[in-house]
Amino acid sequence: MLKQALIVAAFVILVRVPFLNQAIQGDDFYYLAAAEWAQVDAAHPHHAQYVFLGVPMDMRGHPHPPGNAWLLGGLLAVMGDVREVPFHLAYLGLSLVAALSMLALARRFVPERAVEATLLFCAVPAFLVNGNSLEADLPFLAFWMLSFALVIGRRMSAAAAAIAVCSVMAYQSVVMIPILGWWLWRQGELKRHGWVLAVPGVVIGGWTLYERLTSGAMPVAVLNQHFQTYGLQRVEMKLKSAAALCGHLAVMFTPIGLWALIRKRHWFLTAWVGMFFAAALALFFAGSARYLLPLAAPFALIVALQY
C-alpha cells in the first residue's frame, strides 16, 4: 500500500510542479476577491462585490458556497498577499487527497490494477488542466473522492466530516446523496448508515438559512437574479451546455471506456456515471469539462475492470 501511494504521489507532484508559478487567471480572480473580503468579514466572504461583464455582481449569488473562499482566505491571511507558488502548493495537497482517495477506491474495486486505475484518473485532461487553478473544482473533487472512499470503507464518522467540507465547496455535492444511497442500499447498510446522506442537505441548508438571517437574502434568490441578468438559464444556453458536456463525456470515456461501461455494467459505477451526468445536464449552464471531474473515477475503474 505504501509503495502504491508513493507512486501515485510522485506522479501527482511531477504533473503539478511545472505549474506552481502559473499566473492568477480565469475565475481565480473572483475567488480571490472573496478571500480578500474574508479578511474583514470572515463569516461572510461572499458579500464581496465586483463587476462581471460590465454589470455589478453581488457575490452572495455565486454558484458555489463559500468553502473555497474560506480556504483561500486562510492562505491569504497566512501569506499576507497572493503568491502563486505557495497557493498552488497548497492546492497540490488537494490533488494528493483526490488521487490517494482514488487509490483507496481502486484497491476496493480493482485491487490487481489499483495503481493503473489511479494513474488513469490523474491523467484525465480536466484533472491535469483545472487542477492547476484556484477555483472550487479541485477542492470539491478532493473532498468528493475522500467522501466516497470513506463511505465505501465504512468509516462513517470521518465520511460525515468529509461530506460536510465537500458541501461547502459546491452545491452539486447533493448529487452524492442518490449515488451513495444506492451503494448503501445495495450493501444492505442503508438503515444503519443512511444518516450520513443527510449531511449535504443539513450543511447547505444551514448555510443558506444563516445567510438569510444575517444578510436578509438567500443565496439562491440572488443567484436567480444573476441568471435572469445574464440569461444563463435560457433554453439555447442549456442546449449548448448539454452538447458540450456530452462532448466532454465522450472525450473522457473514449470508445474503450464506453465499451467497457456497456460490457461490464457494474451496478454501482454505472449508476455513478448515469446519476451524476443526468444531474450535470440539469444543473450546469456553461458546459465546462471540469464539471465532470467526479466522473473521472468511475471511468478509470470501469476501464480497469475491462482488463
Side-chain angles (χ1 to χ4, degrees), residues 43-61:
H44 302 95
H46 277 188
H47 287 198
Q49 296 190 6
Y50 51 82
V51 176
F52 180 71
L53 297 180
V55 179
M57 169 70 75
D58 184 341
M59 201 169 182
R60 287 179 299 173

Side-chain angles (χ1 to χ4, degrees), residues 44 47 209-217:
H44 302 95
H47 287 198
L209 179 60
Y210 169 75
E211 279 287 309
R212 176 66 177 84
L213 294 175
T214 58
S215 71

Side-chain angles (χ1 to χ4, degrees), residues 6 8 22 43 54 86 142 160 174 199 201 231 263 269 272 297 299 302:
L6 289 174
V8 170
Q22 176 175 291
V174 298
V199 174
R263 181 180 178 186
L269 300 177
W272 183 343
F299 155 67
I302 288 168

Side-chain angles (χ1 to χ4, degrees), residues 4 30 32 49 54-55 71 81 84 88-89 95 98 119 124 126 147 158 162 186 216-217 244 251-252 271 278-279 289:
Q4 293 179 335
Y30 306 112
L32 288 170
Q49 296 190 6
V55 179
L71 176 58
D81 198 0
E84 283 86 352
H88 285 122
L89 269 174
S95 293
L119 295 181
V124 168
S147 299
R186 288 294 299 261
V251 170
M252 179 184 292

Side-chain angles (χ1 to χ4, degrees), residues 12-13 15-29 32 71-72 75-76 79 81-96 128-135 138-139:
V12 171
I13 292 170
V15 300
R16 290 287 184 252
V17 165
F19 302 96
L20 290 180
N21 64 345
Q22 176 175 291
I24 301 303
Q25 57 186 294
D27 289 348
D28 292 358
F29 167 80
L32 288 170
L71 176 58
L72 289 171
L75 291 171
L76 186 57
M79 299 304 303
D81 198 0
V82 177
R83 304 180 188 279
E84 283 86 352
V85 173
F87 273 57
H88 285 122
L89 269 174
Y91 276 62
L92 187 155
L94 294 170
S95 293
L96 290 173
L128 292 174
V129 174
N130 292 101
N132 295 311
S133 79
L134 302 179
E135 298 171 1
L138 181 60

